[in-house]
Amino acid sequence: RMSFGYRFWNRGELAFEFSLLSHSFRRSDAQEQVARSAFLVTGTYFPFSQSAVYVQAGLGYGFYSAVGIYTGGVTTDPPVSPPLVSGEGPAVAFGVGADMSLNEHWSVRPGLRYTFISLGDLLLNDSALLAAGRGSHVIAFSLGLIFRGM
């Protein structure tokens, strides 16, 4: 993920963020590629003044796509191969972590985050309705390098 933020007070930050999570793997003979991305506005709060622990929350908009994995009964005309399943909708994120200072300007920030994207309708090849009311859940560990400026 990439984040651009501002520490507006010694215990709080506000940031604009882009997150991308992608993976591919093989099941039997078909190659699968799944990608989730989100644009978020995040707030980070350091609840204890003498501690590096933080909590984080964010709101935004997310996207989901999967190529080469659909083998169900819904089809499109004309058929498209490999099939593409896509969806998009509001996104929320919650996380915890610690900010470990390296020096006056740099720190390392490990964290654990849960992100949910409400996908609404999943579409097959951007036209046929595959499923309604779906969501995408991601739990991810991150390690950030933070520059605090000069």
Side-chain angles (χ1 to χ4, degrees):
R1 72 182 196 213
M2 183 177 292
S3 180
F4 299 95
Y6 180 73
R7 183 169 272 197
F8 57 91
W9 151 59
N10 65 346
R11 293 173 71 181
E13 295 175 353
L14 191 63
F16 296 99
E17 179 178 303
F18 173 72
S19 297
L20 174 65
L21 177 66
S22 178
H23 62 88
S24 63
F25 51 92
R26 294 179 89 52
R27 283 192 185 168
S28 63
D29 60 353
Q31 178 70 26
E32 298 180 2
Q33 177 72 34
V34 177
R36 295 172 182 93
S37 59
F39 292 97
L40 299 164
V41 174
T42 60
T44 303
Y45 176 64
F46 296 85
F48 311 108
S49 61
Q50 300 301 319
S51 174
V53 173
Y54 68 84
V55 293
Q56 190 175 63
L59 293 172
Y61 202 76
F63 307 90
Y64 171 90
S65 68
V67 177
I69 65 170
Y70 180 71
T71 59
V74 176
T75 60
T76 60
D77 186 29
V80 178
S81 182
L84 167 69
V85 176
S86 62
E88 61 185 71
V92 295
F94 302 97
V96 295
D99 187 279
M100 298 180 288
S101 184
L102 298 174
N103 61 36
E104 184 181 348
H105 299 292
W106 293 92
S107 67
V108 175
R109 193 178 281 182
L112 184 66
R113 171 138 36 138
Y114 167 75
T115 303
F116 174 75
I117 303 171
S118 177
L119 300 174
D121 295 340
L122 285 178
L123 301 177
L124 179 61
N125 299 324
D126 293 329
S127 60
L129 179 63
L130 183 62
R134 295 294 193 188
S136 173
H137 306 267
V138 176
I139 297 175
F141 173 78
S142 65
L143 183 64
L145 182 61
I146 308 299
F147 177 67
R148 293 192 181 95
M150 299 288 185

